[in-house]
mmCIF file of all heavy atoms in Angstrom:
data_model
loop_
_atom_site.group_PDB
_atom_site.id
_atom_site.type_symbol
_atom_site.label_atom_id
_atom_site.label_comp_id
_atom_site.label_asym_id
_atom_site.label_seq_id
_atom_site.Cartn_x
_atom_site.Cartn_y
_atom_site.Cartn_z
ATOM 1 N N VAL A 1 5.892 18.740 -47.084
ATOM 2 C CA VAL A 1 7.228 18.525 -47.639
ATOM 3 C C VAL A 1 7.128 17.620 -48.858
ATOM 4 O O VAL A 1 7.751 17.887 -49.896
ATOM 5 C CB VAL A 1 8.190 17.935 -46.578
ATOM 6 C CG1 VAL A 1 9.517 17.551 -47.200
ATOM 7 C CG2 VAL A 1 8.386 18.916 -45.433
ATOM 8 N N HIS A 2 6.321 16.583 -48.778
ATOM 9 C CA HIS A 2 6.131 15.680 -49.930
ATOM 10 C C HIS A 2 5.557 16.444 -51.112
ATOM 11 O O HIS A 2 6.004 16.246 -52.255
ATOM 12 C CB HIS A 2 5.208 14.523 -49.559
ATOM 13 C CG HIS A 2 5.814 13.572 -48.584
ATOM 14 N ND1 HIS A 2 5.328 12.301 -48.393
ATOM 15 C CD2 HIS A 2 6.852 13.690 -47.732
ATOM 16 C CE1 HIS A 2 6.039 11.680 -47.475
ATOM 17 N NE2 HIS A 2 6.964 12.507 -47.055
ATOM 18 N N ARG A 3 4.581 17.309 -50.852
ATOM 19 C CA ARG A 3 3.974 18.087 -51.941
ATOM 20 C C ARG A 3 4.994 19.037 -52.569
ATOM 21 O O ARG A 3 5.048 19.173 -53.798
ATOM 22 C CB ARG A 3 2.754 18.851 -51.433
ATOM 23 C CG ARG A 3 1.552 17.943 -51.168
ATOM 24 C CD ARG A 3 0.293 18.730 -50.851
ATOM 25 N NE ARG A 3 0.401 19.490 -49.600
ATOM 26 C CZ ARG A 3 0.202 18.985 -48.376
ATOM 27 N NH1 ARG A 3 -0.117 17.700 -48.241
ATOM 28 N NH2 ARG A 3 0.299 19.747 -47.314
ATOM 29 N N ALA A 4 5.789 19.695 -51.741
ATOM 30 C CA ALA A 4 6.801 20.614 -52.266
ATOM 31 C C ALA A 4 7.834 19.865 -53.104
ATOM 32 O O ALA A 4 8.234 20.327 -54.180
ATOM 33 C CB ALA A 4 7.483 21.365 -51.121
ATOM 34 N N LEU A 5 8.264 18.692 -52.626
ATOM 35 C CA LEU A 5 9.225 17.900 -53.396
ATOM 36 C C LEU A 5 8.622 17.422 -54.708
ATOM 37 O O LEU A 5 9.287 17.448 -55.746
ATOM 38 C CB LEU A 5 9.717 16.705 -52.575
ATOM 39 C CG LEU A 5 10.666 17.035 -51.435
ATOM 40 C CD1 LEU A 5 10.912 15.797 -50.583
ATOM 41 C CD2 LEU A 5 11.966 17.621 -51.953
ATOM 42 N N ALA A 6 7.368 16.988 -54.676
ATOM 43 C CA ALA A 6 6.708 16.544 -55.912
ATOM 44 C C ALA A 6 6.654 17.691 -56.916
ATOM 45 O O ALA A 6 6.888 17.482 -58.119
ATOM 46 C CB ALA A 6 5.309 16.028 -55.597
ATOM 47 N N GLU A 7 6.382 18.884 -56.436
ATOM 48 C CA GLU A 7 6.320 20.049 -57.317
ATOM 49 C C GLU A 7 7.699 20.356 -57.914
ATOM 50 O O GLU A 7 7.837 20.549 -59.124
ATOM 51 C CB GLU A 7 5.818 21.250 -56.526
ATOM 52 C CG GLU A 7 5.692 22.517 -57.334
ATOM 53 C CD GLU A 7 5.210 23.667 -56.461
ATOM 54 O OE1 GLU A 7 4.201 23.504 -55.761
ATOM 55 O OE2 GLU A 7 5.875 24.720 -56.497
ATOM 56 N N VAL A 8 8.707 20.378 -57.077
ATOM 57 C CA VAL A 8 10.064 20.705 -57.539
ATOM 58 C C VAL A 8 10.593 19.623 -58.472
ATOM 59 O O VAL A 8 11.060 19.911 -59.576
ATOM 60 C CB VAL A 8 11.019 20.894 -56.340
ATOM 61 C CG1 VAL A 8 12.463 20.977 -56.802
ATOM 62 C CG2 VAL A 8 10.644 22.133 -55.548
ATOM 63 N N LEU A 9 10.531 18.384 -58.042
ATOM 64 C CA LEU A 9 11.116 17.296 -58.827
ATOM 65 C C LEU A 9 10.280 16.957 -60.052
ATOM 66 O O LEU A 9 10.812 16.482 -61.056
ATOM 67 C CB LEU A 9 11.321 16.069 -57.949
ATOM 68 C CG LEU A 9 12.255 16.290 -56.747
ATOM 69 C CD1 LEU A 9 12.319 15.042 -55.887
ATOM 70 C CD2 LEU A 9 13.628 16.751 -57.186
ATOM 71 N N GLY A 10 8.976 17.210 -59.996
ATOM 72 C CA GLY A 10 8.103 16.947 -61.135
ATOM 73 C C GLY A 10 8.419 17.808 -62.346
ATOM 74 O O GLY A 10 8.031 17.478 -63.462
ATOM 75 N N GLY A 11 9.139 18.894 -62.138
ATOM 76 C CA GLY A 11 9.528 19.764 -63.241
ATOM 77 C C GLY A 11 10.768 19.289 -63.975
ATOM 78 O O GLY A 11 11.204 19.928 -64.930
ATOM 79 N N HIS A 12 11.329 18.168 -63.559
ATOM 80 C CA HIS A 12 12.541 17.631 -64.200
ATOM 81 C C HIS A 12 12.186 16.389 -65.014
ATOM 82 O O HIS A 12 11.368 15.587 -64.600
ATOM 83 C CB HIS A 12 13.587 17.276 -63.133
ATOM 84 C CG HIS A 12 14.116 18.483 -62.437
ATOM 85 N ND1 HIS A 12 15.297 19.091 -62.797
ATOM 86 C CD2 HIS A 12 13.619 19.212 -61.415
ATOM 87 C CE1 HIS A 12 15.497 20.135 -62.026
ATOM 88 N NE2 HIS A 12 14.498 20.231 -61.172
ATOM 89 N N HIS A 13 12.813 16.270 -66.158
ATOM 90 C CA HIS A 13 12.569 15.137 -67.037
ATOM 91 C C HIS A 13 13.513 13.981 -66.694
ATOM 92 O O HIS A 13 14.600 14.187 -66.158
ATOM 93 C CB HIS A 13 12.766 15.536 -68.502
ATOM 94 C CG HIS A 13 11.820 16.601 -68.939
ATOM 95 N ND1 HIS A 13 10.492 16.358 -69.180
ATOM 96 C CD2 HIS A 13 12.012 17.928 -69.150
ATOM 97 C CE1 HIS A 13 9.896 17.477 -69.525
ATOM 98 N NE2 HIS A 13 10.786 18.452 -69.513
ATOM 99 N N ALA A 14 13.108 12.773 -67.046
ATOM 100 C CA ALA A 14 13.963 11.596 -66.879
ATOM 101 C C ALA A 14 15.232 11.783 -67.713
ATOM 102 O O ALA A 14 15.220 12.468 -68.741
ATOM 103 C CB ALA A 14 13.223 10.339 -67.312
ATOM 104 N N PHE A 15 16.315 11.178 -67.259
ATOM 105 C CA PHE A 15 17.582 11.274 -67.976
ATOM 106 C C PHE A 15 18.379 10.001 -67.761
ATOM 107 O O PHE A 15 18.157 9.261 -66.814
ATOM 108 C CB PHE A 15 18.395 12.495 -67.513
ATOM 109 C CG PHE A 15 18.635 12.540 -66.030
ATOM 110 C CD1 PHE A 15 19.748 11.933 -65.465
ATOM 111 C CD2 PHE A 15 17.748 13.201 -65.196
ATOM 112 C CE1 PHE A 15 19.964 11.977 -64.097
ATOM 113 C CE2 PHE A 15 17.963 13.250 -63.820
ATOM 114 C CZ PHE A 15 19.076 12.634 -63.270
ATOM 115 N N ASP A 16 19.284 9.750 -68.692
ATOM 116 C CA ASP A 16 20.194 8.608 -68.580
ATOM 117 C C ASP A 16 21.485 9.063 -67.920
ATOM 118 O O ASP A 16 21.913 10.210 -68.094
ATOM 119 C CB ASP A 16 20.519 8.026 -69.961
ATOM 120 C CG ASP A 16 19.311 7.366 -70.601
ATOM 121 O OD1 ASP A 16 18.513 6.771 -69.864
ATOM 122 O OD2 ASP A 16 19.181 7.455 -71.831
ATOM 123 N N VAL A 17 22.091 8.161 -67.181
ATOM 124 C CA VAL A 17 23.356 8.449 -66.521
ATOM 125 C C VAL A 17 24.201 7.176 -66.541
ATOM 126 O O VAL A 17 23.654 6.072 -66.509
ATOM 127 C CB VAL A 17 23.129 8.975 -65.083
ATOM 128 C CG1 VAL A 17 22.494 7.939 -64.199
ATOM 129 C CG2 VAL A 17 24.388 9.521 -64.465
ATOM 130 N N ARG A 18 25.519 7.348 -66.642
ATOM 131 C CA ARG A 18 26.461 6.216 -66.625
ATOM 132 C C ARG A 18 27.388 6.368 -65.432
ATOM 133 O O ARG A 18 27.599 7.473 -64.942
ATOM 134 C CB ARG A 18 27.332 6.219 -67.876
ATOM 135 C CG ARG A 18 26.615 5.911 -69.144
ATOM 136 C CD ARG A 18 27.570 5.989 -70.314
ATOM 137 N NE ARG A 18 28.934 5.696 -69.887
ATOM 138 C CZ ARG A 18 29.811 4.972 -70.566
ATOM 139 N NH1 ARG A 18 29.489 4.495 -71.721
ATOM 140 N NH2 ARG A 18 31.019 4.746 -70.101
ATOM 141 N N PHE A 19 27.967 5.266 -65.014
ATOM 142 C CA PHE A 19 28.936 5.248 -63.925
ATOM 143 C C PHE A 19 30.154 4.467 -64.412
ATOM 144 O O PHE A 19 30.267 3.281 -64.177
ATOM 145 C CB PHE A 19 28.326 4.609 -62.671
ATOM 146 C CG PHE A 19 27.126 5.366 -62.173
ATOM 147 C CD1 PHE A 19 25.852 5.054 -62.616
ATOM 148 C CD2 PHE A 19 27.285 6.397 -61.267
ATOM 149 C CE1 PHE A 19 24.756 5.762 -62.171
ATOM 150 C CE2 PHE A 19 26.194 7.112 -60.805
ATOM 151 C CZ PHE A 19 24.923 6.793 -61.261
ATOM 152 N N ALA A 20 31.046 5.160 -65.130
ATOM 153 C CA ALA A 20 32.156 4.489 -65.797
ATOM 154 C C ALA A 20 33.497 4.660 -65.084
ATOM 155 O O ALA A 20 34.467 4.017 -65.453
ATOM 156 C CB ALA A 20 32.285 5.013 -67.234
ATOM 157 N N ARG A 21 33.554 5.536 -64.064
ATOM 158 C CA ARG A 21 34.838 5.755 -63.393
ATOM 159 C C ARG A 21 34.611 6.048 -61.912
ATOM 160 O O ARG A 21 33.526 6.444 -61.512
ATOM 161 C CB ARG A 21 35.615 6.887 -64.045
ATOM 162 C CG ARG A 21 34.919 8.215 -64.001
ATOM 163 C CD ARG A 21 35.675 9.280 -64.823
ATOM 164 N NE ARG A 21 34.847 10.448 -65.014
ATOM 165 C CZ ARG A 21 34.589 11.360 -64.086
ATOM 166 N NH1 ARG A 21 35.112 11.253 -62.898
ATOM 167 N NH2 ARG A 21 33.820 12.393 -64.349
ATOM 168 N N CYS A 22 35.656 5.855 -61.149
ATOM 169 C CA CYS A 22 35.619 6.134 -59.706
ATOM 170 C C CYS A 22 36.247 7.488 -59.420
ATOM 171 O O CYS A 22 37.159 7.918 -60.127
ATOM 172 C CB CYS A 22 36.392 5.065 -58.931
ATOM 173 S SG CYS A 22 35.638 3.447 -59.013
ATOM 174 N N GLU A 23 35.746 8.138 -58.395
ATOM 175 C CA GLU A 23 36.340 9.366 -57.870
ATOM 176 C C GLU A 23 36.312 9.289 -56.357
ATOM 177 O O GLU A 23 35.760 8.357 -55.779
ATOM 178 C CB GLU A 23 35.590 10.598 -58.382
ATOM 179 C CG GLU A 23 35.824 10.848 -59.855
ATOM 180 C CD GLU A 23 35.393 12.231 -60.303
ATOM 181 O OE1 GLU A 23 35.050 13.082 -59.450
ATOM 182 O OE2 GLU A 23 35.391 12.454 -61.523
ATOM 183 N N ARG A 24 36.903 10.317 -55.709
ATOM 184 C CA ARG A 24 36.994 10.318 -54.251
ATOM 185 C C ARG A 24 36.520 11.630 -53.657
ATOM 186 O O ARG A 24 36.779 12.691 -54.201
ATOM 187 C CB ARG A 24 38.436 10.117 -53.805
ATOM 188 C CG ARG A 24 38.943 8.701 -53.927
ATOM 189 C CD ARG A 24 40.300 8.600 -53.307
ATOM 190 N NE ARG A 24 40.681 7.549 -52.418
ATOM 191 C CZ ARG A 24 39.966 6.722 -51.695
ATOM 192 N NH1 ARG A 24 38.699 6.796 -51.702
ATOM 193 N NH2 ARG A 24 40.493 5.804 -50.944
ATOM 194 N N PHE A 25 35.819 11.526 -52.545
ATOM 195 C CA PHE A 25 35.645 12.591 -51.574
ATOM 196 C C PHE A 25 36.536 12.184 -50.420
ATOM 197 O O PHE A 25 36.923 11.011 -50.327
ATOM 198 C CB PHE A 25 34.199 12.660 -51.066
ATOM 199 C CG PHE A 25 33.193 13.180 -52.053
ATOM 200 C CD1 PHE A 25 31.998 12.507 -52.241
ATOM 201 C CD2 PHE A 25 33.406 14.348 -52.756
ATOM 202 C CE1 PHE A 25 31.045 12.980 -53.114
ATOM 203 C CE2 PHE A 25 32.462 14.831 -53.651
ATOM 204 C CZ PHE A 25 31.283 14.148 -53.824
ATOM 205 N N PRO A 26 36.868 13.075 -49.502
ATOM 206 C CA PRO A 26 37.648 12.624 -48.339
ATOM 207 C C PRO A 26 36.951 11.453 -47.633
ATOM 208 O O PRO A 26 35.797 11.551 -47.233
ATOM 209 C CB PRO A 26 37.688 13.867 -47.440
ATOM 210 C CG PRO A 26 37.561 15.010 -48.401
ATOM 211 C CD PRO A 26 36.622 14.511 -49.479
ATOM 212 N N GLY A 27 37.641 10.328 -47.587
ATOM 213 C CA GLY A 27 37.118 9.143 -46.916
ATOM 214 C C GLY A 27 36.069 8.366 -47.688
ATOM 215 O O GLY A 27 35.496 7.416 -47.172
ATOM 216 N N VAL A 28 35.789 8.758 -48.942
ATOM 217 C CA VAL A 28 34.740 8.091 -49.719
ATOM 218 C C VAL A 28 35.224 7.834 -51.138
ATOM 219 O O VAL A 28 35.726 8.736 -51.806
ATOM 220 C CB VAL A 28 33.455 8.958 -49.787
ATOM 221 C CG1 VAL A 28 32.405 8.322 -50.675
ATOM 222 C CG2 VAL A 28 32.903 9.225 -48.402
ATOM 223 N N LEU A 29 35.065 6.606 -51.590
ATOM 224 C CA LEU A 29 35.290 6.242 -52.986
ATOM 225 C C LEU A 29 33.913 6.046 -53.601
ATOM 226 O O LEU A 29 33.051 5.385 -53.011
ATOM 227 C CB LEU A 29 36.092 4.938 -53.082
ATOM 228 C CG LEU A 29 36.339 4.396 -54.484
ATOM 229 C CD1 LEU A 29 37.247 5.341 -55.278
ATOM 230 C CD2 LEU A 29 36.945 3.003 -54.404
ATOM 231 N N TYR A 30 33.662 6.655 -54.755
ATOM 232 C CA TYR A 30 32.332 6.540 -55.357
ATOM 233 C C TYR A 30 32.426 6.427 -56.865
ATOM 234 O O TYR A 30 33.437 6.778 -57.465
ATOM 235 C CB TYR A 30 31.451 7.737 -54.958
ATOM 236 C CG TYR A 30 31.891 9.061 -55.551
ATOM 237 C CD1 TYR A 30 31.306 9.549 -56.718
ATOM 238 C CD2 TYR A 30 32.880 9.823 -54.955
ATOM 239 C CE1 TYR A 30 31.700 10.755 -57.262
ATOM 240 C CE2 TYR A 30 33.276 11.035 -55.487
ATOM 241 C CZ TYR A 30 32.682 11.499 -56.636
ATOM 242 O OH TYR A 30 33.075 12.692 -57.178
ATOM 243 N N LEU A 31 31.358 5.914 -57.457
ATOM 244 C CA LEU A 31 31.232 5.864 -58.904
ATOM 245 C C LEU A 31 30.693 7.217 -59.366
ATOM 246 O O LEU A 31 29.638 7.656 -58.909
ATOM 247 C CB LEU A 31 30.281 4.743 -59.323
ATOM 248 C CG LEU A 31 30.774 3.332 -59.021
ATOM 249 C CD1 LEU A 31 29.669 2.321 -59.289
ATOM 250 C CD2 LEU A 31 32.004 3.014 -59.845
ATOM 251 N N ALA A 32 31.420 7.882 -60.239
ATOM 252 C CA ALA A 32 31.055 9.222 -60.690
ATOM 253 C C ALA A 32 29.978 9.158 -61.767
ATOM 254 O O ALA A 32 30.137 8.457 -62.765
ATOM 255 C CB ALA A 32 32.283 9.943 -61.227
ATOM 256 N N PRO A 33 28.875 9.882 -61.574
ATOM 257 C CA PRO A 33 27.822 9.907 -62.590
ATOM 258 C C PRO A 33 28.236 10.763 -63.786
ATOM 259 O O PRO A 33 28.829 11.824 -63.630
ATOM 260 C CB PRO A 33 26.625 10.523 -61.861
ATOM 261 C CG PRO A 33 27.223 11.337 -60.763
ATOM 262 C CD PRO A 33 28.520 10.675 -60.394
ATOM 263 N N GLU A 34 27.918 10.262 -64.987
ATOM 264 C CA GLU A 34 28.205 10.991 -66.224
ATOM 265 C C GLU A 34 26.967 10.953 -67.113
ATOM 266 O O GLU A 34 26.501 9.852 -67.422
ATOM 267 C CB GLU A 34 29.394 10.360 -66.949
ATOM 268 C CG GLU A 34 30.680 10.426 -66.174
ATOM 269 C CD GLU A 34 31.806 9.654 -66.865
ATOM 270 O OE1 GLU A 34 31.573 9.069 -67.950
ATOM 271 O OE2 GLU A 34 32.901 9.624 -66.314
ATOM 272 N N PRO A 35 26.391 12.044 -67.481
ATOM 273 C CA PRO A 35 26.756 13.389 -67.058
ATOM 274 C C PRO A 35 26.239 13.655 -65.640
ATOM 275 O O PRO A 35 25.273 13.028 -65.203
ATOM 276 C CB PRO A 35 26.038 14.282 -68.067
ATOM 277 C CG PRO A 35 24.820 13.504 -68.445
ATOM 278 C CD PRO A 35 25.248 12.057 -68.406
ATOM 279 N N ASP A 36 26.858 14.584 -64.952
ATOM 280 C CA ASP A 36 26.402 14.893 -63.604
ATOM 281 C C ASP A 36 25.493 16.120 -63.548
ATOM 282 O O ASP A 36 24.861 16.386 -62.534
ATOM 283 C CB ASP A 36 27.573 15.044 -62.635
ATOM 284 C CG ASP A 36 28.453 16.239 -62.937
ATOM 285 O OD1 ASP A 36 28.264 16.908 -63.975
ATOM 286 O OD2 ASP A 36 29.348 16.519 -62.115
ATOM 287 N N ALA A 37 25.400 16.869 -64.632
ATOM 288 C CA ALA A 37 24.607 18.106 -64.649
ATOM 289 C C ALA A 37 23.137 17.886 -64.269
ATOM 290 O O ALA A 37 22.597 18.667 -63.479
ATOM 291 C CB ALA A 37 24.726 18.802 -66.002
ATOM 292 N N PRO A 38 22.442 16.853 -64.777
ATOM 293 C CA PRO A 38 21.036 16.686 -64.378
ATOM 294 C C PRO A 38 20.883 16.439 -62.871
ATOM 295 O O PRO A 38 19.933 16.925 -62.257
ATOM 296 C CB PRO A 38 20.577 15.467 -65.178
ATOM 297 C CG PRO A 38 21.502 15.375 -66.335
ATOM 298 C CD PRO A 38 22.817 15.880 -65.817
ATOM 299 N N LEU A 39 21.820 15.720 -62.284
ATOM 300 C CA LEU A 39 21.764 15.475 -60.848
ATOM 301 C C LEU A 39 22.068 16.750 -60.065
ATOM 302 O O LEU A 39 21.431 17.032 -59.048
ATOM 303 C CB LEU A 39 22.730 14.354 -60.465
ATOM 304 C CG LEU A 39 22.327 12.993 -61.027
ATOM 305 C CD1 LEU A 39 23.511 12.045 -61.054
ATOM 306 C CD2 LEU A 39 21.178 12.416 -60.230
ATOM 307 N N ARG A 40 23.000 17.527 -60.550
ATOM 308 C CA ARG A 40 23.300 18.813 -59.905
ATOM 309 C C ARG A 40 22.086 19.739 -59.958
ATOM 310 O O ARG A 40 21.793 20.452 -58.998
ATOM 311 C CB ARG A 40 24.514 19.473 -60.548
ATOM 312 C CG ARG A 40 25.805 18.746 -60.249
ATOM 313 C CD ARG A 40 27.013 19.485 -60.850
ATOM 314 N NE ARG A 40 28.217 18.724 -60.652
ATOM 315 C CZ ARG A 40 28.922 18.685 -59.541
ATOM 316 N NH1 ARG A 40 28.534 19.402 -58.504
ATOM 317 N NH2 ARG A 40 30.018 17.958 -59.456
ATOM 318 N N ARG A 41 21.370 19.721 -61.075
ATOM 319 C CA ARG A 41 20.165 20.550 -61.194
ATOM 320 C C ARG A 41 19.100 20.122 -60.187
ATOM 321 O O ARG A 41 18.390 20.961 -59.628
ATOM 322 C CB ARG A 41 19.641 20.525 -62.628
ATOM 323 C CG ARG A 41 20.478 21.379 -63.564
ATOM 324 C CD ARG A 41 19.801 21.624 -64.908
ATOM 325 N NE ARG A 41 19.679 20.420 -65.715
ATOM 326 C CZ ARG A 41 20.606 19.977 -66.572
ATOM 327 N NH1 ARG A 41 21.730 20.652 -66.739
ATOM 328 N NH2 ARG A 41 20.409 18.887 -67.274
ATOM 329 N N LEU A 42 18.970 18.805 -59.962
ATOM 330 C CA LEU A 42 18.026 18.343 -58.936
ATOM 331 C C LEU A 42 18.410 18.896 -57.568
ATOM 332 O O LEU A 42 17.557 19.405 -56.829
ATOM 333 C CB LEU A 42 18.000 16.814 -58.890
ATOM 334 C CG LEU A 42 17.363 16.067 -60.033
ATOM 335 C CD1 LEU A 42 17.512 14.563 -59.837
ATOM 336 C CD2 LEU A 42 15.907 16.437 -60.185
ATOM 337 N N THR A 43 19.677 18.800 -57.232
ATOM 338 C CA THR A 43 20.150 19.320 -55.940
ATOM 339 C C THR A 43 19.889 20.807 -55.841
ATOM 340 O O THR A 43 19.353 21.296 -54.829
ATOM 341 C CB THR A 43 21.647 19.014 -55.752
ATOM 342 O OG1 THR A 43 21.824 17.599 -55.735
ATOM 343 C CG2 THR A 43 22.172 19.612 -54.463
ATOM 344 N N GLU A 44 20.234 21.542 -56.859
ATOM 345 C CA GLU A 44 20.045 22.992 -56.837
ATOM 346 C C GLU A 44 18.574 23.363 -56.680
ATOM 347 O O GLU A 44 18.237 24.273 -55.925
ATOM 348 C CB GLU A 44 20.617 23.611 -58.112
ATOM 349 C CG GLU A 44 22.130 23.545 -58.184
ATOM 350 C CD GLU A 44 22.700 23.816 -59.569
ATOM 351 O OE1 GLU A 44 21.916 23.997 -60.531
ATOM 352 O OE2 GLU A 44 23.937 23.813 -59.691
ATOM 353 N N ALA A 45 17.694 22.637 -57.369
ATOM 354 C CA ALA A 45 16.264 22.945 -57.290
ATOM 355 C C ALA A 45 15.717 22.682 -55.894
ATOM 356 O O ALA A 45 14.926 23.477 -55.368
ATOM 357 C CB ALA A 45 15.500 22.120 -58.330
ATOM 358 N N VAL A 46 16.127 21.582 -55.278
ATOM 359 C CA VAL A 46 15.650 21.260 -53.929
ATOM 360 C C VAL A 46 16.185 22.272 -52.930
ATOM 361 O O VAL A 46 15.440 22.788 -52.087
ATOM 362 C CB VAL A 46 16.035 19.824 -53.524
ATOM 363 C CG1 VAL A 46 15.750 19.568 -52.053
ATOM 364 C CG2 VAL A 46 15.291 18.816 -54.392
ATOM 365 N N VAL A 47 17.462 22.574 -53.015
ATOM 366 C CA VAL A 47 18.061 23.531 -52.083
ATOM 367 C C VAL A 47 17.429 24.910 -52.243
ATOM 368 O O VAL A 47 17.129 25.587 -51.252
ATOM 369 C CB VAL A 47 19.591 23.578 -52.264
ATOM 370 C CG1 VAL A 47 20.206 24.733 -51.489
ATOM 371 C CG2 VAL A 47 20.207 22.262 -51.836
#
């Protein structure tokens, strides 16, 4: 699993992200990442 994750995540470059505003999920208040696309790509690649 570690090797597979290293392979998947190793294909992504470092990126900057800001947390300038709050948003909500049901029952959760969180700082929204901007931009969120690089993080979404990480999730999509792992899934």
Side-chain angles (χ1 to χ4, degrees):
V1 173
H2 291 198
R3 287 188 295 278
L5 288 172
E7 181 181 309
V8 170
L9 300 176
H12 293 263
H13 298 286
F15 55 89
D16 292 325
V17 65
R18 291 178 27 140
F19 299 90
R21 61 187 167 75
C22 294
E23 289 195 9
R24 284 187 134 340
F25 288 133
V28 176
L29 177 66
Y30 68 96
L31 294 172
E34 297 174 0
D36 66 353
L39 293 160
R40 290 183 185 280
R41 285 193 292 272
L42 289 177
T43 298
E44 291 165 356
V46 170
V47 170

